[in-house]
Amino acid sequence: MAEMQGLMERLERAVGRLELLSAGLHRPPGDCGEMNGVSGGVAPSVEAFDKLMNSMVAEFLKKSRILAGDVETHAEMVHSAFQAQRAFLLMASHYQQPQENDVAALLKPISEKIQEIQTFRERNRGSKMFNHLSAVSESIPALGWIAVGPVASTASALSVLSLGPGLPPPPPPPPPPGPPPLFESEGRREESSPSRSALFAQLNQGEAVTKGLRHVTDDQKTYKNPSLRAHGGQTPSPTKSHTPGPKSPQSHPPRKHAPVLELEGKKWRVEYQEDRNDLVISETELRQVAYIFKCSKSTLQIKGKINSITIDSCKKFGLVFDNVVGIVEVINSKDIQMQVMGKVPTISINKTEGCHIYLSEDALDCEIVSAKSSEMNILIPRDGDYREFPVPEQFKTAWDGSKLVTEPAEIMVSERPPNPLT
């Protein structure tokens, strides 16, 4: 019953602190209200934080409201996060340090605000102001300074909020005088363990320390027993048991990702597709790009004209496309087949094993750029069929008297290429 009563008292104290924290979220920055029957001024840490709120944060909100849209919405979330932190500092200045498991509950409102800001950025990757959203969401975790010690400061985190177009960053304000006693760590003395005391007691015996050593008989001496030398000179000790070594960590199976085929802003994302030969992108525009990532045993057809295509970390993947005005890149892949139906100016192959490229009559002026790749073949249309020409992988270099001359080594040409994708 006594344990249950103590648990109930702790829960009541935690609920009281959360109620005070919730009430502080709705107060203006300069009002500290009344706590513990005392009203009036605020602690130095809260006062310093108010100065930051009224300067950098206020200026950040003003400029964000001018830009409006996603930037304004994101800025209001940032303002709410700073208000939650001020309410936490205000509450901490009036109470002693709580239990460790209570601190996590008190910090939860701030953590939820930070998560909301970062989630908004991820859901608006197609926004024209995505770079602005990224700058804010990547710096907002610095609000966790209150949980790391009394020397932390929000000045560096707030500096990103003060950057305006065409204006140099202002000098950072002085840091707050440290968080209140809520997070002050208490010194702890290291207690000596019983095993350490026993060790020093044995060392202090002097010459008597050798009295406990075991006598080694002749049959246990290596130089007198040849059979011991054949086994590496080791005999099982009667006083020491063998302890197995630590087991190697078990490898976990690779995580299964959900397949993706969607338009995100100007980018077509094709990811984690397996055993699919009916993938088609038909509604394309000149400004769009396609990014194909970790697809295997699949085929994709892209119709119309597109800006660029990237194939990254794919295996046994086929691509058929009409026209590309920029570049087609193949990176870190294996067993790739590609067929050009229209035109493409450049195809780049990097760190790839096995790449067959079928060119159309209109794409014969295409440039092939390769590096750190093997088994590359270009198939040229000839009389209704294709003839295969391998891309050189070996080169020979010789000195002609004034400079080094490098040229590809001779490679046999195949007369029977594999069938095209279409």
Side-chain angles (χ1 to χ4, degrees), residues 222-282:
T222 306
Y223 70 96
K224 289 186 177 182
N225 193 340
S227 62
L228 293 179
R229 290 196 296 270
H231 293 83
Q234 296 182 356
T235 57
S237 173
T239 61
K240 184 178 181 180
S241 61
H242 174 70
T243 57
K247 297 182 179 179
S248 59
Q250 298 180 354
S251 60
H252 298 282
R255 180 182 175 185
K256 188 76 172 179
H257 296 272
V260 177
L261 176 56
E262 63 180 9
L263 178 62
E264 189 177 83
K266 300 178 183 178
K267 179 192 293 186
W268 280 100
R269 292 176 52 204
V270 185
E271 301 175 1
Y272 307 109
Q273 300 285 347
E274 294 185 7
D275 298 313
R276 291 288 304 275
N277 294 316
D278 56 349
L279 302 174
V280 179
I281 298 177
S282 56

Side-chain angles (χ1 to χ4, degrees), residues 213-230:
L213 297 180
R214 181 174 57 87
H215 176 70
V216 181
T217 60
D218 290 343
D219 60 341
Q220 295 177 329
K221 296 178 181 178
T222 306
Y223 70 96
K224 289 186 177 182
N225 193 340
S227 62
L228 293 179
R229 290 196 296 270

Side-chain angles (χ1 to χ4, degrees), residues 47 149 199 261 409:
E47 183 178 357
L199 174 62
L261 176 56

